[in-house]
Amino acid sequence: ISYGHCIIQVRRNVRKFQDIPIKLKLTVIIMVTSAVALLLDSTVHLIYDQHSVRHRMTSDIKTLADLIGDRSKAALIYQDTKVASDTLSALRFKTNIVSAVLYDKDGNFFARYGSPQMPKRIAIPTKSDVPQFTQNGLKIFHNIYAAEDLEGTLYIESDLLELQQRFRSDLGIVVLLGLVSLLITLFFANRLQRVISKPILALAQTTRTIASEKNYSARATKHGGDETGQLIDDFNEMLAQIQRRDDELQKAHDELEARVKERTQDLSAEIAERKRTESALRQQFVRLSLLNQITHAVSERQETDSIFHVVLRELEGHLGLDLGLVGLYDAKSQALNVAALHIKNSSLAGQFDIREGSTLALAETDFGPCEKGQTVYLPDTLKAASDFTERLAARGWRSVAAVPMIVEERLFGVIICARLQDYGFSSGDCEFLRMLSDHVALAARQAKLHKELADAYNELRQTQATVLKQERLKALGQMASGIAHDVNNALSPIVGFSELLIKGDFGLDQKGKRYLDYIGTAGHDIAHIIARLREFYRKHEDEEPLQLLNFNRMVEQVVDMTRPRWRDIPQSNGITIEVQTELAPDVPPTAGNESEIREAFTNLMLNAVDAMPAGGKITMRTAVNGKNGSRQVVVDISDTGIGMNEETRKRCLEPFFSTKGKRGTGLGLAMVYGVVQRHEGNIEIKSKPGKGTTFRLLFPVRDSLAIRTVETDEAAGEPLRILCIDDEPLLRELVKEMLERDGHQVELSDNGQSGLDQFRVARDRGRPFDVVITDLGMPYMDGRQVAKIMKNESPETPIVLLTGWGALINEDGEKPENVDAVLSKPPRTGELRAVLNRLRVAQPA
């Protein structure tokens, strides 16, 4: 079995060797032959050299044994071991001698050299001087004779170091010479094998060329007159015969093909023409039918978006469009506004970044010629250079057709169609799209005109309503401006004396002071309402004074101040209304106008009472929404009253809209809305008929450090001599009481002329007034005339104008000429102090 396996393996290797290229095969043969010859030569050389060295070693050791034996005879005869040992010690000069032992004639140990592993006694060998090569050395026994008598035996052992060194040296030389010889042999073999392989390889190459190209005119090149050259000649002759036969067959085939072609050409042309005609007629019929269908569908619609979507839907269904887009042209920006977009593949729709409402700059597309009324067809978007076309190609749309919609010889819009395959539109498709674009442009133009007409009509109605509201608001503002002075004069004693009573020591208990505080607060709110009747929706001015608001305290104030309205009056009629407060403890303070917000809460509270004619429950809640950076204070005012329907809920914030009939003015909720808007807040209304109403007011929490707040009461300055001129007796007494409490000396005058006379008398007596406070509106001589005359006579005397129109004057931002400061009625102690301190008036020495 092993022998059979070896035979199979050898055959496999022979087959593999036969498959290698002939150049390599010749090189291997030459190299193997040379290697075998070199190996045999080197082996013979090594064997011969080893044999010579062994022979020399044997001869040397025999000679050495004879020499040592002759010199040891006397020592053996006279039994002198010392002389024998000295004689053996001469062997130390022979480095290859490992050991030596001298035995007497009886075979007993006599002397030695080295450390031999020999017994003390040996049998005398009958045959001496016979070398013995062992694995580790060379041994020899030499018998010593004297006059033919045996005197002893000498044993000498030598190592084989010289033999081993010689073998390694020879082996190295043989290996080195072998490698050099093989390299030289490889060089010459690589060159010499070409003599045989080159003609054969050239013949093989010619054979492959003929087999692949079927070119029988090719010929192999002859390189010599040997058997290879003869083979090439025979091969070329065979090619010549094949070429002649192939030419004859090709000629016969061409003649037959020409005859068949001539017979079928006319028939093929007739069939093709008939098919083209039928296809054109069929496509024309389909397109006309589709055009009629689209035109009919478009005529039923009045909105441009609906028209465009119908067109794109029909094109997608009947023409197999993969993308349809309608862009309306904006001549100012020279861009297309995407009005309709249809994408057949939903996955591509998710990847496409163009949406309805997007804008395409016409310069960033290849559709510029559409502006001149030309159709644009891009058969392969990969070859286009615009940004938009590259985006189409990136999503897989390879062909694009764009047709303009022309209205009155101007570009109205562009219909853009795309397909996934390149060269996807025929000339008939482009012509049909052009015909369709004319119909779509006309329908879209009519729809646009219809929409513009409807919008213009609605805008006209809204404008008329707005103008009417503005006129009513303007009339209200003029009326408010006219009564502001009289109302402020009437309110000034109420507000001023209540403030003095609260701050003074008049023996009032806490309840009395609280009622006085309510009186003062209500008076200020009335003044604020009068000043704000003319401006429901204006925003806060940057310099308008704001306070830090405590919403919980304001809710409690509103509940207490409106108690007669929601408890006492309803109870007298047998109606019970319950008011409940739910106040969050963590409501942060925020900047705002306290009077305005308290007025808004009061208005909503009274509206809630009116919404419950049979009684019910009112709940006022405060809370905080959001986190740091976006927090809001939430105030809910809920009732369980009759509620509102959806139409009323939508209109309840409009000015002059009321459901109370003659009892309502229609301004309450409008003013609430204006207050919330001025505080950058929002209103949410939830109401259902029979389920009650909830007004939710949301105010942003604003950083108090970044907002101007109202000035706090300042400390009174040095005492001054002050002249106060006003035609209202109560107001004069109020100002005098306020100023004298701060230590000032005050003189009063009831009109402009008498005040001017008092001013001149005091100046002539050397005791001029430090400050003059005068009313604006007075009979015969008003405050402006008084200020002008006093400034001309005493420019250094500060003039303060105290008027019921102070808020309007401060809002305009310009003080009247010759006036140093303006104060609004009703006056406040803190404001008077602040103005006097700011003017820096010092009492004269």
Side-chain angles (χ1 to χ4, degrees):
I1 295 175
S2 177
Y3 176 77
H5 179 72
C6 293
I7 294 299
I8 292 173
Q9 190 65 33
V10 169
R11 289 178 178 175
R12 288 178 179 174
N13 293 334
V14 169
R15 283 198 297 270
K16 291 181 180 179
F17 179 78
Q18 290 175 346
D19 293 337
I20 65 177
I22 188 169
K23 293 171 59 176
L24 183 58
K25 193 181 298 181
L26 290 172
T27 303
V28 170
I29 291 173
I30 295 172
M31 292 298 296
V32 170
T33 303
S34 300
V36 170
L38 186 60
L39 180 60
L40 291 175
D41 180 73
S42 299
T43 303
V44 171
H45 174 74
L46 287 174
I47 294 173
Y48 174 78
D49 191 66
Q50 287 291 303
H51 179 72
S52 299
V53 173
R54 283 174 175 263
H55 180 71
R56 188 176 65 254
M57 289 179 64
T58 302
S59 176
D60 290 342
I61 201 168
K62 284 182 179 181
T63 303
L64 184 60
D66 288 341
L67 180 59
I68 296 300
D70 289 342
R71 299 179 70 177
S72 301
K73 286 181 183 180
L76 287 171
I77 294 173
Y78 297 106
Q79 295 294 308
D80 189 349
T81 59
K82 183 177 182 307
V83 174
S85 297
D86 293 339
T87 301
L88 292 177
S89 63
L91 294 174
R92 67 178 179 273
F93 298 103
K94 289 289 187 178
T95 57
N96 59 320
I97 300 300
V98 178
S99 61
V101 180
L102 188 61
Y103 295 92
D104 61 6
K105 59 184 177 180
D106 296 325
N108 297 320
F109 174 78
F110 187 76
R112 70 176 179 180
Y113 165 74
S115 301
Q117 299 295 326
M118 294 297 293
K120 296 294 184 178
R121 181 178 176 81
I122 62 170
I124 302 300
T126 57
K127 293 182 179 179
S128 64
D129 298 328
V130 178
Q132 299 178 6
F133 282 90
T134 65
Q135 184 178 2
N136 298 322
L138 173 60
K139 301 177 181 179
I140 190 171
F141 286 92
H142 176 68
N143 293 334
I144 302 173
Y145 293 92
E148 299 181 359
D149 292 327
L150 180 63
E151 295 297 332
T153 302
L154 175 63
Y155 169 80
I156 298 177
E157 181 179 354
S158 175
D159 58 22
L160 300 180
L161 182 60
E162 181 182 0
L163 181 63
Q164 294 171 353
Q165 290 178 348
R166 184 59 177 266
F167 178 79
R168 285 195 293 270
S169 177
D170 291 343
L171 182 62
I173 293 172
V174 168
V175 170
L176 179 61
L177 290 176
L179 291 176
V180 174
S181 300
L182 287 176
L183 290 175
I184 295 173
T185 303
L186 178 62
F187 174 80
F188 283 103
N190 188 44
R191 293 293 187 272
L192 295 177
Q193 56 84 24
R194 298 178 184 176
V195 177
I196 299 175
S197 64
K198 185 176 181 180
I200 297 175
L201 293 176
L203 180 61
Q205 179 62 36
T206 303
T207 304
R208 284 194 296 271
T209 302
I210 294 171
S212 61
E213 300 177 2
K214 306 300 182 183
N215 182 16
Y216 297 105
S217 62
R219 296 293 183 268
T221 303
K222 184 177 180 181
H223 294 273
D226 55 0
E227 291 83 357
T228 305
Q230 185 61 40
L231 176 62
I232 292 174
D233 289 339
D234 295 341
F235 178 79
N236 290 336
E237 179 61 27
M238 179 183 66
L239 288 178
Q241 295 177 4
I242 294 174
Q243 182 181 6
R244 287 193 297 271
R245 187 175 301 172
D246 186 69
D247 292 341
E248 293 174 357
L249 289 174
Q250 184 63 37
K251 183 178 180 181
H253 178 271
D254 292 342
E255 293 176 355
L256 178 62
E257 189 176 56
R259 288 195 297 269
V260 173
K261 185 176 181 180
E262 290 175 358
R263 292 177 182 178
T264 58
Q265 186 174 6
D266 295 337
L267 181 61
S268 299
E270 183 179 352
I271 293 173
E273 182 64 26
R274 182 176 297 177
K275 288 182 177 179
R276 283 194 298 270
T277 303
E278 292 178 354
S279 177
L281 290 174
R282 192 161 48 249
Q283 291 180 0
Q284 187 69 13
F285 176 77
V286 171
R287 290 166 182 162
L288 289 176
S289 176
L290 177 59
L291 181 61
N292 180 58
Q293 181 178 348
I294 294 176
T295 303
H296 179 71
V298 165
S299 63
E300 298 177 351
R301 288 164 172 79
Q302 296 296 334
E303 298 84 13
T304 55
D305 292 346
S306 177
I307 292 173
F308 296 147
H309 282 290
V310 167
V311 171
L312 295 182
R313 192 160 51 245
E314 294 292 336
L315 291 177
E316 179 182 320
H318 293 84
L319 287 188
L321 294 184
D322 296 301
L323 177 142
L325 185 150
V326 177
L328 299 181
Y329 181 64
D330 185 353
K332 292 182 179 180
S333 61
Q334 292 188 338
L336 297 177
N337 298 318
V338 179
L341 176 66
H342 271 234
I343 298 177
K344 189 174 183 180
N345 191 324
S346 58
S347 62
L348 291 179
Q351 300 174 7
F352 198 40
D353 56 351
I354 301 297
R355 299 287 185 272
E356 291 185 4
S358 300
T359 301
L360 297 174
L362 196 62
E364 298 178 358
T365 68
D366 293 299
F367 310 139
C370 291
E371 193 172 5
K372 300 179 180 178
Q374 301 176 13
T375 300
V376 177
Y377 174 46
L378 303 176
D380 190 352
T381 55
L382 294 178
K383 299 179 181 179
S386 71
D387 177 69
F388 177 71
T389 311
E390 289 179 354
R391 287 151 69 185
L392 293 177
R395 302 299 183 276
W397 293 298
R398 293 290 303 278
S399 56
V400 178
V403 292
M405 294 186 293
I406 303 297
V407 176
E408 297 178 356
E409 298 182 355
R410 290 184 297 178
L411 181 64
F412 178 75
V414 178
I415 301 176
I416 302 172
C417 305
R419 285 176 173 157
L420 294 174
Q421 68 272 20
D422 55 350
Y423 295 88
F425 293 89
S426 63
S427 58
D429 292 335
C430 295
E431 182 62 27
F432 169 75
L433 292 174
R434 183 58 187 265
M435 293 172 57
L436 176 64
S437 69
D438 295 336
H439 292 272
V440 175
L442 181 60
R445 177 61 175 171
Q446 292 176 347
K448 186 176 180 181
L449 291 175
H450 181 270
K451 183 177 183 301
E452 290 177 352
L453 181 61
D455 292 343
Y457 178 71
N458 292 332
E459 185 178 353
L460 178 61
R461 293 181 58 187
Q462 294 176 0
T463 302
Q464 291 175 343
T466 301
V467 169
L468 180 60
K469 290 180 181 179
Q470 288 177 349
E471 290 297 325
R472 296 171 69 183
L473 292 175
K474 182 179 179 181
L476 180 63
Q478 291 173 348
M479 179 184 67
S481 298
I483 67 175
H485 179 265
D486 295 335
V487 172
N488 284 330
N489 282 339
L491 286 175
S492 294
I494 299 173
V495 175
F497 285 115
S498 64
E499 181 180 352
L500 292 177
L501 287 173
I502 293 173
K503 294 183 178 180
D505 186 11
F506 296 96
L508 296 175
D509 57 7
Q510 292 297 324
K511 187 175 182 180
K513 289 184 177 181
R514 186 169 71 250
Y515 286 164
L516 284 173
D517 183 57
Y518 290 161
I519 293 173
T521 300
H524 283 297
D525 289 348
I526 293 172
H528 194 73
I529 291 172
I530 296 299
R532 234 185 51 253
L533 282 175
R534 53 187 280 277
E535 44 178 345
F536 293 128
Y537 304 106
R538 69 175 178 86
K539 295 183 178 179
H540 274 298
E541 301 295 337
D542 292 339
E543 298 184 358
E544 187 171 355
L546 303 176
Q547 302 93 24
L548 283 178
L549 306 180
N550 186 328
F551 282 89
N552 289 345
R553 183 172 64 84
M554 284 192 292
V555 169
E556 293 173 348
Q557 286 180 346
V558 169
V559 171
D560 289 340
M561 292 175 65
T562 59
R563 191 180 304 276
R565 186 69 177 82
W566 60 262
R567 188 185 67 175
D568 300 338
I569 297 177
Q571 283 183 356
S572 65
N573 297 323
I575 299 172
T576 300
I577 296 178
E578 178 186 356
V579 176
Q580 180 179 349
T581 58
E582 298 176 4
L583 307 179
D586 57 345
V587 176
T590 183
N593 190 307
E594 182 175 349
S595 176
E596 288 187 356
I597 295 180
R598 184 168 48 246
E599 173 196 345
F601 291 169
T602 303
N603 194 298
L604 293 176
M605 170 68 80
L606 298 180
N607 280 353
V609 172
D610 292 338
M612 297 187 297
K617 180 179 180 181
I618 301 174
T619 304
M620 297 188 71
R621 303 182 185 89
T622 60
V624 180
N625 282 346
K627 300 179 179 179
N628 293 335
S630 62
R631 293 190 301 168
Q632 290 180 316
V633 175
V634 181
V635 180
D636 289 345
I637 302 176
S638 304
D639 64 68
T640 59
I642 59 177
M644 297 182 288
N645 57 29
E646 186 63 20
E647 179 65 21
T648 303
R649 188 190 69 81
K650 290 181 178 179
R651 298 189 57 194
C652 66
L653 299 179
E654 296 180 4
F656 305 108
F657 177 81
S658 176
T659 59
K660 299 179 182 180
K662 295 181 178 180
R663 295 186 300 111
T665 64
L667 296 176
L669 291 181
M671 295 177 70
V672 171
Y673 178 74
V675 168
V676 175
Q677 288 293 99
R678 285 196 292 276
H679 286 79
E680 301 178 2
N682 194 16
I683 297 181
E684 298 177 0
I685 305 174
K686 296 181 180 179
S687 183
K688 288 186 178 179
K691 300 294 184 180
T693 302
T694 297
F695 282 85
R696 170 165 287 187
L697 311 184
L698 299 99
F699 300 94
V701 177
R702 296 187 289 184
D703 185 4
S704 60
L705 297 179
I707 301 176
R708 291 170 52 94
T709 59
V710 69
E711 296 180 357
T712 59
D713 288 346
E714 299 185 17
E718 297 180 4
L720 304 173
R721 292 190 73 249
I722 301 175
L723 173 63
C724 178
I725 307 172
D726 201 299
D727 59 342
E728 292 290 337
L730 291 179
L731 188 59
R732 292 197 303 270
E733 294 298 327
L734 172 63
V735 174
K736 179 179 180 181
E737 183 68 24
M738 288 181 174
L739 294 175
E740 287 181 346
R741 281 178 175 270
D742 289 342
H744 303 296
Q745 180 182 352
V746 182
E747 293 187 17
L748 301 177
S749 177
D750 60 355
N751 61 73
Q753 184 60 51
S754 65
L756 185 59
D757 294 340
Q758 287 180 253
F759 178 80
R760 290 169 175 169
V761 169
R763 183 192 59 192
D764 294 341
R765 291 178 178 177
R767 298 184 68 250
F769 292 104
D770 299 317
V771 178
V772 175
I773 300 176
T774 179
D775 188 14
L776 176 61
M778 295 181 295
Y780 306 114
M781 182 181 291
D782 63 10
R784 290 187 178 88
Q785 295 173 323
V786 171
K788 180 178 181 181
I789 295 172
M790 288 185 176
K791 277 293 184 181
N792 289 334
E793 296 179 1
S794 179
E796 69 277 2
T797 302
I799 308 295
V800 178
L801 194 64
L802 178 63
T803 174
W805 293 299
L808 302 180
I809 295 174
N810 287 328
E811 181 183 330
D812 294 337
E814 295 183 2
K815 296 191 296 290
E817 189 178 2
N818 303 313
V819 173
D820 297 287
V822 178
L823 282 175
S824 298
K825 294 180 181 179
R828 295 185 181 183
T829 303
E831 293 177 352
L832 281 171
R833 290 176 181 175
V835 168
L836 295 178
N837 291 339
R838 186 167 64 249
L839 294 176
R840 299 178 181 178
V841 178
Q843 184 177 6

